[in-house]
Amino acid sequence: MCHLGEAKVWIEACIGEEIPATVELEEGLRNGVVLAKLAHFITPDKVPLRKVYDKDLSRYNSRGLHFRHTDINHWLRALEDIELPQIFYPETTDIYDRKNMPRVIYCIHALSLYLFKLGRAPQIQDLYGKIKFTDEEISNMRRELDKYGIQMPAFSKIGGMLASEMPVDEAALHAAIIAINDAVDRSVAMTTVNCLLNPAALMSNVNSDLAESTLADAKHAKKEIALNRSVDASYVADVYDELLTQAEIQGNINKVNVWFAVSMVNAATIDEDESSLLSALRLPYLRLGDIADTNASTYLRHLSQARRRKMQGSDGSMLSYADIQQSVAAANEDMEMNFSRQRAVLAVE
């Protein structure tokens, strides 16, 4: 149930809205609306919000689950688009018919780490010991699992499984990751950077100025979590309980790189500098795909509008990565509609 709570908090951070309570989350995912909104967060250009059936849940609340609540497929296609390894995918019936909801939550956890590694989403929180459930809620969950004969997936092994899906020398990768962790412990920035640049570690976009301190903070937090778990009599230690995995190391590197790129986009938007904005949007850390020179003014307009909305709200005035991603997708969609309109006019003439 902690994993359910962790998935709930992470999804809310991604889509920017509250979703059903932890004990209701499994049922709340069945209609596919939350998952479709998550798909929009992952690939806004492929899954615009207008494609989400029943996004305000009005039909679901008045008539219950309907066969057209198939937005689950948007989510599964988004997973394919970002190339999440197929080993983590649930079946549609696991969600719609609740045949194996732990498998769905397991996939969400794998997705969170995978997106964090890419620098495209926040890291999922470890809520062990931080959220409480009643005895009745725990018993109800146990009965549900027993009813379908479901075995809990190994959530703690996700990081290793993501690494094992890579076509690489696993022994060399493991040794390189241990070397990085050791270097972080010794707090020698140059040694850490040299270990990160080891080809066997499969790291990319290493920023020598920011990597060491970021990884030190991340490793300290992971050690604290492991210490918290060790007081539980059922706890089984694993080598990566205290070591940062390859995905976590790359994720923390990309988190800093994305922060830098987001700062550059914000600065260009505030300055209304189209040239600087195009350069910032093309930074590889943002993974925004094709950015068209001819669309510069439209990008600036959408980003400026998003920033004004932020200023009117309670969450500050700085655009987040998700704000930028959605604004660029909306700008590209506007341009495509304009091109379609122009083609239609020319065809009539």
Side-chain angles (χ1 to χ4, degrees), residues 4-5 7-9 11-12 15 17-31 33-35 37 57 60-61:
L4 268 173
K8 166 185 159 61
V9 171
I11 293 172
E12 288 177 337
I15 68 175
E17 63 181 78
E18 291 187 10
I19 61 175
T22 300
V23 293
E24 302 168 359
L25 182 59
E26 292 186 340
E27 181 65 29
L29 293 177
R30 289 183 65 200
N31 57 46
V33 176
V34 168
L35 293 175
K37 290 178 179 178
L57 292 174
Y60 177 73
N61 290 330

Side-chain angles (χ1 to χ4, degrees), residues 18-279:
E18 291 187 10
I19 61 175
T22 300
V23 293
E24 302 168 359
L25 182 59
E26 292 186 340
E27 181 65 29
L29 293 177
R30 289 183 65 200
N31 57 46
V33 176
V34 168
L35 293 175
K37 290 178 179 178
L38 187 55
H40 171 70
F41 170 79
I42 298 168
T43 54
D45 54 331
K46 302 289 179 63
V47 188
L49 283 176
R50 60 180 172 76
K51 283 190 176 182
V52 180
Y53 174 75
D54 197 21
K55 62 176 177 289
D56 62 355
L57 292 174
S58 57
R59 296 179 179 88
Y60 177 73
N61 290 330
S62 63
R63 287 176 281 176
L65 199 63
H66 187 269
F67 77 93
R68 284 197 64 193
H69 285 109
T70 53
D71 285 338
I72 295 164
N73 294 324
H74 287 316
W75 181 60
L76 294 174
R77 283 193 290 270
L79 302 187
E80 293 176 356
D81 189 72
I82 62 170
E83 299 181 347
L84 179 73
Q86 289 276 343
I87 191 172
F88 296 110
Y89 289 33
E91 299 292 334
T92 302
T93 54
D94 290 338
I95 309 169
Y96 191 82
D97 297 324
R98 285 193 68 171
K99 287 192 174 180
N100 194 339
M101 290 305 293
R103 179 74 183 177
V104 180
I105 304 305
Y106 177 70
C107 180
I108 291 172
H109 274 251
L111 173 64
S112 72
L113 181 55
Y114 186 74
L115 288 176
F116 176 66
K117 175 182 176 179
L118 297 178
R120 295 173 60 175
Q123 188 169 18
I124 200 166
Q125 298 179 43
D126 189 312
L127 299 180
Y128 180 83
K130 297 179 181 178
I131 51 177
K132 304 295 183 182
F133 302 97
T134 66
D135 291 340
E136 182 181 2
E137 289 169 341
I138 295 171
S139 295
N140 289 340
M141 179 62 67
R142 187 175 294 115
R143 279 197 299 271
E144 189 75 12
L145 294 174
D146 291 343
K147 175 182 176 181
Y148 292 101
I150 297 170
Q151 295 295 318
M152 288 297 294
F155 284 82
S156 63
K157 308 296 183 184
I158 288 174
M161 291 182 68
L162 280 173
S164 68
E165 287 298 302
M166 303 176 188
V168 296
D169 183 337
E170 291 184 33
L173 173 62
H174 180 66
I177 298 306
I178 289 178
I180 293 170
N181 277 272
D182 288 344
V184 170
D185 284 339
R186 292 198 298 272
S187 300
V188 181
M190 187 54 67
T191 303
T192 301
V193 171
N194 288 337
C195 290
L196 289 169
L197 294 174
N198 178 357
L202 300 176
M203 298 297 163
S204 59
N205 300 321
V206 175
N207 187 320
S208 58
D209 295 328
L210 302 170
E212 201 275 337
S213 61
T214 303
L215 294 175
D217 291 342
K219 188 162 188 198
H220 175 75
K222 194 163 187 181
K223 283 184 176 180
E224 289 293 315
I225 291 168
L227 181 63
N228 184 36
R229 287 182 177 274
S230 66
V231 300
D232 190 329
S234 63
Y235 172 73
V236 179
D238 182 83
V239 64
Y240 277 105
D241 285 347
E242 295 189 14
L243 296 178
L244 295 173
T245 66
Q246 195 274 347
E248 289 170 334
I249 294 169
Q250 184 67 70
N252 278 288
I253 291 170
N254 283 340
K255 179 174 70 172
V256 175
N257 291 339
V258 168
W259 172 84
F260 169 76
V262 166
S263 299
M264 297 295 289
V265 172
N266 273 280
T269 302
I270 292 169
D271 294 341
E272 298 186 355
D273 185 335
E274 292 184 4
S275 177
S276 295
L277 180 60
L278 287 173
S279 297

Side-chain angles (χ1 to χ4, degrees), residues 338-349:
N338 287 335
F339 288 146
S340 298
R341 196 176 297 115
Q342 290 170 10
R343 285 195 295 267
V345 170
L346 290 173
V348 171
E349 293 177 351

